[in-house]
């Protein structure tokens, strides 16, 4: 769990307080014709709720040490959930309150804007509630055919299922989604299942009860996995390096018990229809502060020139930094971004605010003869919802382009 600097923390608190004041002011103005005791009751209730949520935020995020030494994220997730449910509607109310105040000489226009803001706020609350209660379990199969001129004809039609970012610790012991996901994957009759990292949030014990379920996933030529940034347990302050290493090894052992071949800066040769294909897996590589454990030269060792290779690398930033135009790897698979767990998809056009931070945030990207596919993830971390960004199983079909 990443922590905020003291300056950033106080700036965030100041912004939140400004939003609270503007939202309260806009609502209170609407109660000007109500009885005094109604206005007093509303004021007390509003600021009691605000104080409760603000106190929870300060308690949870005001101490870097507390964040770094907690092994139970239920409280953290609850605070984040309450923050989103409280902040986003009030942000809309504060904006419409300010606009309607500035337009107060045009009374009807001002009233229309504020009324529209109230309706929009109600819609946003319902959308957030739906995303938390339903969209986090509403798994989507993304079918992606990808053409390559370098693909051997024997590999034409190879079916690859990609999974990423399961984050078992965020499921709170609920196995229903995992069982449904496994069933959906097995019905796809994949040739390969490739998992691109973040099986857990931090701790190996998060896999308890899920190993047997995920072991039921079947693929003709096997299942392969790599580690994501969360799998190393680096967001927890361990009492000593030995315990951190033991946790990492236990997480990797659980992934192996699920039937995955964990690739740690190495490659696996497969014979598919008497044709060689190489599955390459590296440890996590990301821009600071994310760890950079990947050793791509080591992972690519002994792969014959011209052989078709698929690289599994958790963070899509690795593709542009060390893969693109430097190695002859036709296809790279990544995850990590979760699509920000927020986005819009209309008429085949998809947008996420995360695109302003990471241009390779989700979906298929192509540069000359090299492709990157970024899976939007199956689970959640932090905010326990997915607004317009449903959990994803990717079915990639390799196609030969003549």
């Amino acid at each position: 769990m990443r922590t905020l600097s003291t300056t950033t923390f106080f700036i965030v608190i100041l912004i939140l307080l400004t939003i609270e004041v503007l939202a309260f002011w806009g609502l209170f103005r609407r109660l000007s014709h109500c009885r005094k005791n109604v206005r007093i009751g509303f004021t007390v209730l509003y600021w009691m709720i605000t104080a409760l949520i603000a106190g929870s935020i300060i308690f949870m995020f005001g101490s870097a040490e507390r964040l770094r030494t907690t092994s139970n994220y239920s409280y953290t997730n609850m605070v984040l959930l309450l923050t989103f449910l409280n902040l986003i509607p009030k942000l809309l109310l504060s904006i419409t309150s300010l606009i309607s105040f500035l337009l107060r000489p045009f009374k009807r226009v001002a009233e229309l804007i504020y009324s529209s803001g109230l309706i929009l706020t109600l819609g946003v609350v319902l959308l957030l509630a739906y995303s938390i209660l339903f969209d986090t379990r509403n798994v989507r199969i993304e079918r992606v055919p990808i053409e390559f001129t370098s693909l051997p004809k024997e590999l034409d039609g190879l079916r690859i299922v990609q999974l990423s970012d399961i984050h078992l610790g965020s499921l709170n012991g609920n196995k229903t989604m995992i069982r449904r996901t496994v069933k959906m994957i097995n019905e796809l009759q994949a040739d390969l299942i490739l998992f691109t990292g973040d099986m857990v949030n931090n701790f190996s014990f998060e896999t308890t009860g899920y190993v047997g379920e995920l072991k039921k996933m079947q693929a003709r030529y096997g299942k392969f996995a790599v580690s994501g940034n969360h799998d190393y347990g680096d967001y927890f302050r361990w009492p000593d390096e030995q315990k951190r290493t033991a946790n990492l090894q236990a997480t990797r052992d659980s992934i192996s018990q699920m039937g995955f071949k964990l690739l740690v800066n190495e490659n696996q040769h497969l014979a598919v229809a008497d044709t060689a294909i190489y599955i390459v897996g590296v440890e996590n590589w990301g821009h600071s502060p994310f760890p950079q454990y990947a050793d791509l030269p080591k992972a690519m060792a002994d792969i014959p020139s011209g052989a078709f290779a698929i690289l599994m690398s958790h963070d899509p930033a690795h593709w542009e930094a060390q893969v693109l135009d430097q190695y002859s790897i036709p296809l790279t698979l990544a995850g990590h971004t979760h699509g920000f767990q927020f986005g819009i998809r209309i008429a085949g056009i998809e947008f996420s605010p995360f695109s302003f931070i990471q241009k390779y945030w989700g979906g298929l990207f192509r540069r000359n003869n090299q492709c990157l596919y970024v899976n939007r993830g199956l689970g959640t971390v932090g905010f326990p919802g997915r607004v317009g960004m449903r959990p994803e199983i990717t079915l990639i079909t390799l196609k030969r382009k003549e």
Side-chain angles (χ1 to χ4, degrees):
M1 180 80 61
R2 295 167 66 181
T3 58
L4 299 175
S5 68
T6 302
T7 303
T8 303
F9 178 75
F10 280 109
I11 290 174
V12 169
I13 292 296
L14 182 61
I15 292 172
L16 295 180
L17 182 61
T18 302
I19 292 172
E20 292 286 357
V21 170
L22 288 174
F24 171 77
W25 172 64
L27 289 170
F28 192 79
R29 287 176 60 217
R30 292 298 177 275
L31 300 176
S32 58
H33 301 297
C34 294
R35 289 181 299 175
K36 183 178 180 180
N37 59 342
V38 172
R39 285 179 283 145
I40 293 174
F42 167 76
T43 301
V44 171
L45 181 62
Y46 183 97
W47 288 110
M48 278 183 62
I49 294 173
T50 298
L52 177 64
I53 295 175
S56 299
I57 294 172
I58 292 171
F59 176 79
M60 192 68 250
F61 297 99
S63 170
E65 186 65 22
R66 186 181 298 114
L67 278 175
R68 295 282 287 176
T69 55
T70 181
S71 59
N72 184 354
Y73 290 118
S74 297
Y75 178 74
T76 307
N77 290 342
M78 181 189 71
V79 172
L80 287 170
L81 173 61
L82 291 175
T83 301
F84 274 91
L85 289 177
N86 176 69
L87 176 63
I88 295 179
K90 287 181 178 178
L91 175 61
L92 294 173
L93 282 176
S94 63
I95 293 172
T96 52
S97 296
L98 190 58
I99 294 174
S100 63
F101 176 75
L102 294 174
L103 294 176
R104 65 189 184 281
F106 310 97
K107 187 175 180 181
R108 290 187 178 180
V109 175
E111 288 295 329
L112 177 62
I113 289 175
Y114 191 79
S115 299
S116 300
L118 288 175
I119 295 172
L120 179 61
T121 299
L122 177 60
V124 168
V125 170
L126 294 175
L127 177 63
L128 288 173
Y130 182 86
S131 74
I132 294 165
L133 295 174
F134 300 104
D135 264 355
T136 52
R137 305 291 183 261
N138 191 9
V139 182
R140 176 177 66 204
I141 298 176
E142 197 75 24
R143 301 174 187 271
V144 185
I146 309 179
E147 292 185 334
F148 298 96
T149 54
S150 59
L151 184 72
K153 62 181 180 180
E154 293 84 0
L155 300 180
D156 187 30
L158 191 75
R159 294 162 64 85
I160 301 169
V161 163
Q162 182 194 3
L163 280 175
S164 196
D165 300 88
I166 297 179
H167 290 283
L168 291 172
S170 298
L171 294 178
N172 297 318
N174 187 345
K175 299 179 184 178
T176 304
M177 178 184 178
I178 295 299
R179 288 170 180 158
R180 186 166 61 248
T181 299
V182 170
K183 183 176 183 293
M184 293 171 68
I185 288 173
N186 286 338
E187 289 174 350
L188 294 174
Q189 298 181 326
D191 295 306
L192 288 167
I193 296 176
L194 305 181
F195 175 70
T196 47
D198 278 2
M199 182 66 72
V200 299
N201 290 342
N202 249 344
F203 307 103
S204 60
F205 64 72
E206 297 171 30
T207 63
T208 303
Y210 295 104
V211 173
E213 298 296 334
L214 290 167
K215 188 176 182 178
K216 296 175 183 177
M217 288 190 299
Q218 300 296 323
R220 184 178 180 184
Y221 297 106
K223 297 152 56 177
F224 300 89
V226 293
S227 298
N229 55 296
H230 281 267
D231 294 322
Y232 297 93
D234 287 345
Y235 301 106
F236 181 76
R237 192 182 300 281
W238 298 94
D240 54 62
E241 180 61 21
Q242 184 178 0
K243 284 186 171 57
R244 188 195 75 85
T245 303
N247 178 75
L248 173 59
Q249 187 57 53
T251 299
R252 288 178 168 177
D253 289 344
S254 293
I255 293 173
S256 297
Q257 291 164 16
M258 294 170 188
F260 289 97
K261 166 66 175 175
L262 187 65
L263 299 176
V264 184
N265 294 324
E266 58 187 311
N267 67 75
Q268 179 73 50
H269 165 266
L270 295 177
V272 177
D274 297 324
T275 301
I277 183 173
Y278 289 84
I279 309 300
V280 184
V282 294
E283 295 196 71
N284 189 75
W285 188 100
H287 293 300
S288 181
F290 298 109
Q292 298 183 351
Y293 301 128
D295 189 339
L296 189 54
K298 178 182 176 182
M300 292 293 292
D302 304 323
I303 296 180
S305 176
F308 194 88
I310 299 173
L311 172 64
M312 302 165 64
S313 182
H314 178 67
D315 193 322
H318 190 211
W319 187 59
E320 187 171 61
Q322 293 191 346
V323 180
L324 194 62
D325 299 327
Q326 300 180 48
Y327 287 90
S328 182
I329 300 175
L331 177 61
T332 299
L333 302 180
H336 182 61
T337 68
H338 299 210
F340 201 54
Q341 294 173 209
F342 183 89
I344 299 171
R345 191 177 227 185
I346 301 175
I349 299 174
E350 190 173 26
F351 168 77
S352 169
F354 201 67
S355 60
F356 297 117
I357 303 171
Q358 166 65 270
K359 61 181 176 181
Y360 307 117
W361 64 269
L364 182 64
F365 302 89
R366 182 185 289 272
R367 184 85 64 84
N368 299 325
N369 295 318
Q370 292 181 281
C371 290
L372 166 70
Y373 188 83
V374 183
N375 180 286
R376 298 163 184 84
L378 192 70
T380 63
V381 67
F383 174 61
R386 281 180 168 267
V387 183
M389 194 64 61
R390 289 164 51 189
E392 177 181 331
I393 297 169
T394 312
L395 176 62
I396 295 172
T397 305
L398 302 185
K399 296 288 187 180
R400 177 177 170 85
K401 185 177 182 180
E402 299 295 343

